[in-house]
Amino acid sequence: RVNFCLGALVVAVIACVACFVAASLWVSVAWDQASNLHPVTSIAEFSGVQQQRAWAIFLSDGYVDVKAMVSKHMMCTPPKKQHKPAHPCNFIFVAPIFKHAKGVDNRTAHIYAWAVSQSPIAADIRCREGGGLCGIAAQRLYGSGLLDRFRTLIHASQSSPDPPMVFVSDPWMFLASNFNCLVCGMCIGSAIVLLLLLLAAPCEAV
């Protein structure tokens, strides 16, 4: 019985840690929203320090010009045994974000940020909270290598040393699976407590 409980405890601890790691992004977004007294509310504010601090953004404005979306890809070579030609892979997509829809087709309109993704960017996404554009700061989702690829593609259209980038989506919908991991982690954590109580029972009896 003790050996079985110890084995189950080890498995449960590993599963619990994995769940909490997977849920960390949801926790960070939720904590930032609850504790940030001065959140970004306009795309014009999403730059510099605010960009680096941001997790999820819920704006009152912002418009993604998907018609101006551009993409780039790498060429992947299959294993030598397959003898197949190289094929396009690892696509990236970027699109400019204006303050309002009237900025589209206006050459003098200021581009405040860029929507970035590894799949085609969806049409303008609006969230109930704030009534404008919403999403997750790109540096919270992507690694440095992919961020550099985004910047290189953006520089072809706009010269900027550090263009603000955001993954456009409804953060809570996008992170729903992460929240499920949090719930699973809490359930497994409760199970670990029960296992520890079972392991401690024989000691009390002695």
Side-chain angles (χ1 to χ4, degrees), residues 120-135:
I121 299 169
D124 197 36
I125 295 178
R126 299 280 160 177
C127 287
R128 293 181 181 179
E129 186 175 349
L133 193 70
C134 56

PDB file of all heavy atoms in Angstrom, residues 120-135:
ATOM      1  N   PRO A 120      -2.621  33.100 -40.677  1.00  0.00           N
ATOM      2  CA  PRO A 120      -3.259  34.315 -41.192  1.00  0.00           C
ATOM      3  C   PRO A 120      -4.032  35.058 -40.101  1.00  0.00           C
ATOM      4  O   PRO A 120      -4.773  34.452 -39.329  1.00  0.00           O
ATOM      5  CB  PRO A 120      -4.193  33.775 -42.275  1.00  0.00           C
ATOM      6  CG  PRO A 120      -3.502  32.540 -42.762  1.00  0.00           C
ATOM      7  CD  PRO A 120      -2.885  31.927 -41.531  1.00  0.00           C
ATOM      8  N   ILE A 121      -3.846  36.342 -40.029  1.00  0.00           N
ATOM      9  CA  ILE A 121      -4.458  37.164 -38.988  1.00  0.00           C
ATOM     10  C   ILE A 121      -5.933  37.359 -39.290  1.00  0.00           C
ATOM     11  O   ILE A 121      -6.309  37.730 -40.411  1.00  0.00           O
ATOM     12  CB  ILE A 121      -3.734  38.517 -38.885  1.00  0.00           C
ATOM     13  CG1 ILE A 121      -2.257  38.275 -38.499  1.00  0.00           C
ATOM     14  CG2 ILE A 121      -4.403  39.431 -37.868  1.00  0.00           C
ATOM     15  CD1 ILE A 121      -1.381  39.506 -38.636  1.00  0.00           C
ATOM     16  N   ALA A 122      -6.755  37.110 -38.287  1.00  0.00           N
ATOM     17  CA  ALA A 122      -8.200  37.234 -38.468  1.00  0.00           C
ATOM     18  C   ALA A 122      -8.599  38.691 -38.629  1.00  0.00           C
ATOM     19  O   ALA A 122      -7.864  39.602 -38.257  1.00  0.00           O
ATOM     20  CB  ALA A 122      -8.932  36.614 -37.284  1.00  0.00           C
ATOM     21  N   ALA A 123      -9.780  38.887 -39.201  1.00  0.00           N
ATOM     22  CA  ALA A 123     -10.315  40.237 -39.349  1.00  0.00           C
ATOM     23  C   ALA A 123     -10.454  40.885 -37.982  1.00  0.00           C
ATOM     24  O   ALA A 123     -10.439  40.197 -36.955  1.00  0.00           O
ATOM     25  CB  ALA A 123     -11.657  40.188 -40.070  1.00  0.00           C
ATOM     26  N   ASP A 124     -10.607  42.172 -37.990  1.00  0.00           N
ATOM     27  CA  ASP A 124     -10.643  42.981 -36.777  1.00  0.00           C
ATOM     28  C   ASP A 124     -11.427  42.314 -35.647  1.00  0.00           C
ATOM     29  O   ASP A 124     -12.617  42.046 -35.769  1.00  0.00           O
ATOM     30  CB  ASP A 124     -11.251  44.340 -37.112  1.00  0.00           C
ATOM     31  CG  ASP A 124     -10.955  45.366 -36.051  1.00  0.00           C
ATOM     32  OD1 ASP A 124      -9.862  45.341 -35.486  1.00  0.00           O
ATOM     33  OD2 ASP A 124     -11.841  46.193 -35.789  1.00  0.00           O
ATOM     34  N   ILE A 125     -10.743  42.030 -34.557  1.00  0.00           N
ATOM     35  CA  ILE A 125     -11.358  41.360 -33.407  1.00  0.00           C
ATOM     36  C   ILE A 125     -11.684  42.384 -32.329  1.00  0.00           C
ATOM     37  O   ILE A 125     -10.830  43.163 -31.919  1.00  0.00           O
ATOM     38  CB  ILE A 125     -10.420  40.275 -32.852  1.00  0.00           C
ATOM     39  CG1 ILE A 125     -10.229  39.171 -33.893  1.00  0.00           C
ATOM     40  CG2 ILE A 125     -10.971  39.700 -31.559  1.00  0.00           C
ATOM     41  CD1 ILE A 125      -9.273  38.088 -33.455  1.00  0.00           C
ATOM     42  N   ARG A 126     -12.903  42.365 -31.874  1.00  0.00           N
ATOM     43  CA  ARG A 126     -13.349  43.284 -30.829  1.00  0.00           C
ATOM     44  C   ARG A 126     -13.719  42.501 -29.573  1.00  0.00           C
ATOM     45  O   ARG A 126     -14.272  41.409 -29.654  1.00  0.00           O
ATOM     46  CB  ARG A 126     -14.570  44.071 -31.296  1.00  0.00           C
ATOM     47  CG  ARG A 126     -14.297  44.929 -32.523  1.00  0.00           C
ATOM     48  CD  ARG A 126     -13.606  46.220 -32.159  1.00  0.00           C
ATOM     49  NE  ARG A 126     -12.930  46.821 -33.303  1.00  0.00           N
ATOM     50  CZ  ARG A 126     -12.313  47.975 -33.263  1.00  0.00           C
ATOM     51  NH1 ARG A 126     -12.270  48.648 -32.130  1.00  0.00           N
ATOM     52  NH2 ARG A 126     -11.710  48.460 -34.312  1.00  0.00           N
ATOM     53  N   CYS A 127     -13.408  43.062 -28.434  1.00  0.00           N
ATOM     54  CA  CYS A 127     -13.755  42.426 -27.171  1.00  0.00           C
ATOM     55  C   CYS A 127     -14.784  43.272 -26.439  1.00  0.00           C
ATOM     56  O   CYS A 127     -14.797  44.498 -26.563  1.00  0.00           O
ATOM     57  CB  CYS A 127     -12.514  42.258 -26.285  1.00  0.00           C
ATOM     58  SG  CYS A 127     -11.413  40.966 -26.873  1.00  0.00           S
ATOM     59  N   ARG A 128     -15.628  42.617 -25.677  1.00  0.00           N
ATOM     60  CA  ARG A 128     -16.636  43.339 -24.907  1.00  0.00           C
ATOM     61  C   ARG A 128     -15.979  44.281 -23.902  1.00  0.00           C
ATOM     62  O   ARG A 128     -16.431  45.402 -23.685  1.00  0.00           O
ATOM     63  CB  ARG A 128     -17.539  42.344 -24.163  1.00  0.00           C
ATOM     64  CG  ARG A 128     -18.401  41.492 -25.073  1.00  0.00           C
ATOM     65  CD  ARG A 128     -19.276  40.560 -24.258  1.00  0.00           C
ATOM     66  NE  ARG A 128     -20.107  39.721 -25.126  1.00  0.00           N
ATOM     67  CZ  ARG A 128     -20.946  38.802 -24.664  1.00  0.00           C
ATOM     68  NH1 ARG A 128     -21.070  38.605 -23.363  1.00  0.00           N
ATOM     69  NH2 ARG A 128     -21.664  38.078 -25.510  1.00  0.00           N
ATOM     70  N   GLU A 129     -14.898  43.812 -23.323  1.00  0.00           N
ATOM     71  CA  GLU A 129     -14.193  44.635 -22.337  1.00  0.00           C
ATOM     72  C   GLU A 129     -13.368  45.700 -23.051  1.00  0.00           C
ATOM     73  O   GLU A 129     -12.375  45.402 -23.707  1.00  0.00           O
ATOM     74  CB  GLU A 129     -13.281  43.760 -21.478  1.00  0.00           C
ATOM     75  CG  GLU A 129     -12.611  44.488 -20.340  1.00  0.00           C
ATOM     76  CD  GLU A 129     -11.822  43.555 -19.438  1.00  0.00           C
ATOM     77  OE1 GLU A 129     -11.974  42.340 -19.578  1.00  0.00           O
ATOM     78  OE2 GLU A 129     -11.070  44.056 -18.606  1.00  0.00           O
ATOM     79  N   GLY A 130     -13.775  46.932 -22.953  1.00  0.00           N
ATOM     80  CA  GLY A 130     -13.085  48.028 -23.614  1.00  0.00           C
ATOM     81  C   GLY A 130     -13.741  48.428 -24.913  1.00  0.00           C
ATOM     82  O   GLY A 130     -13.671  49.571 -25.339  1.00  0.00           O
ATOM     83  N   GLY A 131     -14.374  47.480 -25.600  1.00  0.00           N
ATOM     84  CA  GLY A 131     -15.079  47.775 -26.840  1.00  0.00           C
ATOM     85  C   GLY A 131     -14.197  47.906 -28.062  1.00  0.00           C
ATOM     86  O   GLY A 131     -14.692  48.137 -29.170  1.00  0.00           O
ATOM     87  N   GLY A 132     -12.881  47.774 -27.901  1.00  0.00           N
ATOM     88  CA  GLY A 132     -11.972  47.912 -29.036  1.00  0.00           C
ATOM     89  C   GLY A 132     -11.175  46.639 -29.273  1.00  0.00           C
ATOM     90  O   GLY A 132     -11.614  45.542 -28.954  1.00  0.00           O
ATOM     91  N   LEU A 133     -10.002  46.835 -29.805  1.00  0.00           N
ATOM     92  CA  LEU A 133      -9.122  45.716 -30.117  1.00  0.00           C
ATOM     93  C   LEU A 133      -8.593  45.077 -28.834  1.00  0.00           C
ATOM     94  O   LEU A 133      -8.405  45.741 -27.819  1.00  0.00           O
ATOM     95  CB  LEU A 133      -7.947  46.230 -30.954  1.00  0.00           C
ATOM     96  CG  LEU A 133      -7.057  45.191 -31.644  1.00  0.00           C
ATOM     97  CD1 LEU A 133      -7.834  44.528 -32.764  1.00  0.00           C
ATOM     98  CD2 LEU A 133      -5.811  45.878 -32.196  1.00  0.00           C
ATOM     99  N   CYS A 134      -8.365  43.785 -28.869  1.00  0.00           N
ATOM    100  CA  CYS A 134      -7.786  43.112 -27.707  1.00  0.00           C
ATOM    101  C   CYS A 134      -6.810  42.042 -28.183  1.00  0.00           C
ATOM    102  O   CYS A 134      -6.846  41.615 -29.330  1.00  0.00           O
ATOM    103  CB  CYS A 134      -8.871  42.494 -26.817  1.00  0.00           C
ATOM    104  SG  CYS A 134      -9.956  41.339 -27.672  1.00  0.00           S
ATOM    105  N   GLY A 135      -5.941  41.631 -27.286  1.00  0.00           N
ATOM    106  CA  GLY A 135      -4.949  40.628 -27.653  1.00  0.00           C
ATOM    107  C   GLY A 135      -3.935  40.431 -26.549  1.00  0.00           C
ATOM    108  O   GLY A 135      -4.111  40.887 -25.421  1.00  0.00           O
TER     109      GLY A 135
END
